[in-house]
């Protein structure tokens, strides 16, 4: 049985390092499906025993508390925390100032003693929580955390008679904590603003008036009013006569889409006039809810760099601790220098021992990347997809519905002798009546009359071939492409392979064919041009259609003939994909497959990056894909690849920046060129720098 998952919000979660520890310790305690995201502060866990969960959390991060996601009033409490921190910092700064004043001139000894007391209280005011957390962690035999290291560093400084330094370091450290928490909260806010496409309220229309209610209280069947400029809060169908919708938040497409009465209206769309909608789904199943679900869960599939940072953090802190001990002991033994100098240097190194800059900023970058791409109509199902996107060496397209409009139109009906065009299209329509294929729809449209469904007795749809069916009155009808008529070994006088043709066979006799036209999307030209410009080595076309059509379409788009594969059954598409996967693996690249999500789900699932297109309403394809293009514009890949590239670049910069500056300070500290509080500045500075660098992505 699948474990039910519960979502909590972790209030007061301020250190990314703790987030990692909380996650792993919950796992160790036997909880299933534990996922904690530092950026969103969302804890997903297969248990709702909140008091037990909280007791584990508070052992690691005192002050942090998990609350059920819905009841959370997170914002105001974060504000309160910030204000409290600010007051404490201000007091400690004033105390520090007077303490230094009183101890630095040749005042009478009593005054100097008083100065020391003032300094010590400054130290306690700013550092009490640090010491407390350090002790609590120590009780769990955990010494690889920033609190313990800060505690050791400052207590060590006090022991070697550097009280002013210890107080200053603690004060600066608190300022850093404050700034970092502000910066992280601000980034969290700008990212969620990016995703803020779900209104909380709806105007419910009843018999005689209109009331404003929470979206959660709307049920299917309700009629709601959406005012001009407002976002549609929940999916439904249009009751008003017509409307223009701006779907840009969903699809990235900014051109307004006209709809008429009875058409589907998706939540997240903005209307230009006042409209009434009849609600068709529950709040949780609404389009925006599903999009937000995908985006928020996406960060839980970690990128390579996030995984690296997690590992790195595990070894970095103990490493620095050992390094500091070595610096404190070895040189003074070897060089016979006073031990105090080297102890001080060791303490400087300890101060730089928090991997915060990395642990905070890297997940932030990826979340920003995922959020940004969702705003341009591309949903990424994981931060790992961003990695794959930056390594693409082959992009394979499905043809029908992906590169071509998939909006087929019957252009000609060619009957064989003894039959009329009406008969040919009538039999074809009867066979296609149950199919959802774009070809079927075009035939039904051309037939133009309702089909008598009670006539259909047996019915079988063969992917990439066509349809076989039997009627009640005993006729057998087969419609399909050239391959299909060869398969059933039916002699046919026509043989059309450079256009889409549907052959119609009645009781094993060919009775005519229907010529169907499909256009290449203009955006398909842009998409392929862009991929060529990026020097993606292999751009290919996989289709169930005939060789001639495939080569004509591929040729027009500029796809190399060697990468065009035709007459493929769905399973053949997987075989071709495997070939590319194999090649890519040898060269360290990845393969992307883009399908329209109708019958390509297995291929989409198998590709390194499976892309489902035009998936705004279809659950199945969202399920199989790694990347979902909300509308049917293949050129959205362009945005996705370039956002992934930027995300990756910024993540790399942050890693280099953080590691570089830390290494620099460790070096300077060891040779005695950096004092403790300079080291604190460096540490705080680099953390802030990486956070701000991450936010560049949102621009
Ligand atoms: P693609 O792989 O390019 O998306 P499909 O697999 O959807 O194409 O279909 C391949 C071919 O199979 C179509 O071009 C058509 O000739 C034939 N076909 C598939 N389904 C049907 C149908 N319902 N009626 C007639 N022909 C069909
Ligand atoms: Mg297709």
């Amino acid at each position: 049985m699948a474990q039910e998952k519960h979502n909590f919000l972790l209030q007061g979660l301020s250190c990314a390092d703790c987030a990692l520890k909380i996650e792993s310790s919950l796992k160790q305690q036997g909880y299933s499906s534990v996922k904690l995201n530092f950026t969103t502060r969302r804890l997903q866990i297969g248990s709702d025993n909140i008091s037990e969960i909280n007791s584990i959390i508070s052992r690691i991060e005192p002050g942090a508390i998990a609350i059920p996601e819905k009841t959370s009033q997170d914002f105001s409490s974060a504000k309160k925390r910030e204000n409290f921190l600010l007051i404490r910092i201000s007091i400690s700064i004033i105390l520090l100032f007077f303490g230094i004043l009183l101890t630095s001139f040749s005042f009478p000894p009593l005054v100097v003693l008083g100065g020391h007391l003032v300094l010590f209280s400054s130290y306690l005011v700013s550092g009490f929580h640090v010491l407390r957390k350090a002790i609590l962690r120590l009780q769990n035999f955990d010494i690889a955390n920033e609190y313990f290291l800060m505690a050791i560093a400052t207590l060590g400084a006090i022991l070697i008679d550097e009280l002013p330094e210890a107080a200053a370091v603690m004060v600066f450290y608190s300022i850093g904590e404050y700034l970092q928490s502000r910066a992280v909260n601000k980034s969290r806010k700008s990212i969620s603003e990016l995703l803020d496409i779900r209104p909380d309220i709806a105007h419910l229309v009843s018999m005689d008036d209109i009331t404003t209610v929470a979206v959660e209280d709307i049920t299917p069947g309700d009629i709601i009013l959406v005012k001009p400029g407002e976002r549609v809060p929940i999916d439904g169908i249009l009751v008003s006569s017509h409307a223009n919708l701006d779907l840009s938040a969903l699809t990235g497409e900014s051109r307004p889409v006209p709809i008429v009465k009875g058409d589907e209206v998706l939540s997240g769309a903005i209307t230009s006039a006042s409209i009434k909608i009849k609600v068709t789904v529950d709040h949780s199943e609404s389009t925006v809810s599903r999009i937000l679900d995908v985006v928020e869960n996406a960060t839980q599939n970690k990128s390579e760099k996030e995984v690296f940072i997690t590992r790195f953090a595990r070894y970095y802190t103990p490493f620095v601790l050992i390094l500091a001990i070595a610096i404190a002991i070895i040189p003074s033994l070897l060089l016979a220098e006073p031990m105090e100098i080297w102890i001080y240097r060791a303490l400087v190194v300890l101060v730089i021992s928090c991997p915060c800059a990395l642990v905070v900023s890297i997940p932030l970058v990826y979340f920003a990347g995922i959020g940004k791409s969702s705003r341009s109509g591309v949903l990424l199902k994981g931060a790992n997809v961003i990695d794959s996107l930056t390594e693409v060496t082959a992009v394979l397209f499905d043809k029908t519905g992906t590169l071509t409009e998939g909006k087929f139109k019957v252009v000609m009906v060619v009957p064989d002798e003894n039959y009329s065009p009406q008969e040919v299209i009538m039999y074809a329509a009867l066979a296609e009546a149950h199919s959802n294929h774009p070809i079927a729809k075009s035939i039904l449209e051309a037939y133009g009359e309702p089909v008598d469904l009670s006539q259909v007795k047996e019915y079988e749809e063969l992917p990439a071939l066509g349809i076989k069916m039997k009627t009640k009155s005993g006729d057998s009808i087969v419609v399909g492409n050239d391959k299909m008529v060869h398969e059933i070994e039916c002699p046919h006088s026509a043989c059309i392979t450079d256009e889409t043709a549907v052959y119609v066979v009645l009781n094993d006799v060919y009775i005519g064919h229907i010529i169907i036209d499909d256009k290449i999307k203009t955006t398909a030209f842009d998409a392929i041009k862009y991929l060529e410009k990026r020097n993606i080595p292999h751009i290919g076309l996989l289709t169930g259609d005939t060789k001639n059509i495939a080569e004509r379409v591929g040729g027009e788009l500029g796809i190399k003939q060697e990468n065009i594969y035709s007459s493929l059954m769905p399973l053949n598409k997987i075989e071709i994909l495997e070939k590319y996967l194999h090649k890519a693996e040898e060269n360290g690249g990845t393969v992307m497959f883009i399908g329209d999500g109708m019958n390509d789900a297995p291929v989409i699932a198998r590709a390194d990056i499976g892309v489902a297109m035009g998936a705004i309403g279809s659950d199945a394809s969202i399920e199989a894909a790694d990347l979902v293009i909300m509308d049917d514009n293949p050129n959205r890949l362009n945005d996705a690849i370039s956002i992934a590239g930027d995300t990756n670049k910024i993540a790399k910069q942050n890693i280099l920046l953080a590691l570089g500056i830390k290494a620099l300070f460790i070096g300077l500290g060891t040779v005695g060129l950096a004092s403790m509080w300079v080291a604190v500045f460096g540490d705080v500075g680099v953390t802030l720098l990486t956070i701000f660098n991450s936010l560049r992505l949102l621009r």
Side-chain angles (χ1 to χ4, degrees), residues 591-643:
V591 180
M592 174 174 343
F593 175 82
I594 304 116
D596 58 8
M598 285 249 301
N599 46 23
D600 291 323
V603 201
I604 290 176
R606 181 74 187 83
D608 290 322
I609 310 168
V611 182
M613 202 153 83
I616 200 158
S618 131
D619 276 338
S621 43
I622 291 193
E623 203 56 43
D626 304 298
L627 190 158
V628 179
I629 298 181
M630 301 296 284
D631 59 1
D632 39 34
N633 175 355
N635 199 28
R636 299 261 179 252
L637 287 180
N638 169 339
D639 300 326
I641 293 178
S642 80
I643 291 172

Side-chain angles (χ1 to χ4, degrees), residues 161-359:
D161 212 12
E162 298 277 4
L163 180 59
E165 190 102 359
V169 165
M170 212 40 127
V171 170
F172 288 142
Y173 178 77
S174 312
I175 296 175
E177 263 191 328
Y178 172 75
L179 292 177
Q180 178 184 321
S181 127
R182 290 265 331 228
V184 168
N185 283 340
K186 190 171 163 267
S187 340
R188 279 173 175 153
K189 232 178 111 207
S190 21
I191 297 171
S192 39
E193 263 165 24
L194 205 63
L195 298 173
D196 192 14
I197 53 172
R198 174 167 53 189
D200 304 323
I201 51 152
H203 312 297
L204 180 64
V205 180
S206 54
M207 289 296 260
D208 41 24
D209 78 321
I210 295 171
T211 46
T212 300
V213 299
V215 179
E216 285 85 358
D217 298 336
I218 299 285
T219 49
D222 285 347
I223 306 278
I224 56 168
L225 175 79
V226 188
K227 297 176 185 168
E230 281 185 350
R231 268 186 209 289
V232 176
I234 187 164
D235 296 359
I237 52 173
L238 188 66
V239 179
S240 312
S241 66
H242 57 86
N244 273 318
L245 295 183
D246 169 0
L247 294 176
S248 58
L250 301 175
T251 64
E253 171 63 62
S254 54
R255 220 173 329 145
V257 182
I259 58 165
V260 295
K261 187 173 178 163
D263 281 350
E264 191 177 33
V265 184
L266 296 176
S267 49
I270 298 177
T271 166
S272 55
S274 202
I275 52 169
K276 282 186 185 162
I277 295 169
K278 183 169 182 186
V279 174
T280 49
V281 296
D282 266 325
H283 168 62
S284 60
E285 256 118 63
S286 213
T287 303
V288 281
S289 301
R290 290 208 316 256
I291 292 177
L292 291 180
D293 248 19
V294 171
V295 173
E296 278 170 12
N297 286 322
T299 49
Q300 316 209 326
N301 298 322
K302 306 260 191 287
S303 71
E304 283 162 30
K305 293 200 181 60
E306 286 171 282
V307 175
F308 163 74
I309 292 308
T310 314
R311 292 221 187 96
F312 177 80
R314 218 177 290 151
Y315 295 110
Y316 175 75
T317 314
F319 166 77
V320 174
L321 194 58
I322 293 169
L323 184 70
I325 294 172
I327 292 174
I329 297 172
I330 298 171
S332 51
L333 287 184
L334 292 183
L335 304 173
E337 276 187 35
M339 198 148 177
E340 250 130 71
I341 295 181
W342 288 98
I343 289 182
Y344 181 82
R345 291 179 184 184
L347 297 178
V348 174
V349 170
L350 275 189
V351 170
I352 320 165
S353 57
C354 171
C356 294
L358 294 172
V359 191

Side-chain angles (χ1 to χ4, degrees), residues 398-400 432 435 437 439 461 464 467 481 543-545 573:
D398 167 56
K399 181 182 72 72
T400 315
E432 298 279 19
S435 170
H437 200 280
I439 290 184
E461 181 151 3
I467 282 162
N481 51 18
T543 176
D545 224 335
K573 285 191 184 176

Side-chain angles (χ1 to χ4, degrees), residues 76-127:
S76 62
S77 88
K79 198 96 208 125
K80 263 188 222 146
R81 254 179 86 87
E82 267 182 15
N83 287 341
F84 178 64
L85 218 65
L86 201 60
I87 294 173
R88 232 178 42 201
I89 290 171
S90 314
I91 295 175
S92 63
I93 291 177
I94 296 171
L95 290 174
L96 178 68
F97 177 75
F98 281 109
I100 290 178
L101 205 69
L102 294 178
T103 49
S104 44
F105 299 102
S106 40
F107 287 121
L110 212 58
V111 177
V112 174
L113 182 68
H116 276 104
L117 282 177
V118 173
L119 279 177
F120 194 66
S121 34
S122 164
Y123 173 73
L124 284 184
V125 170
S126 58

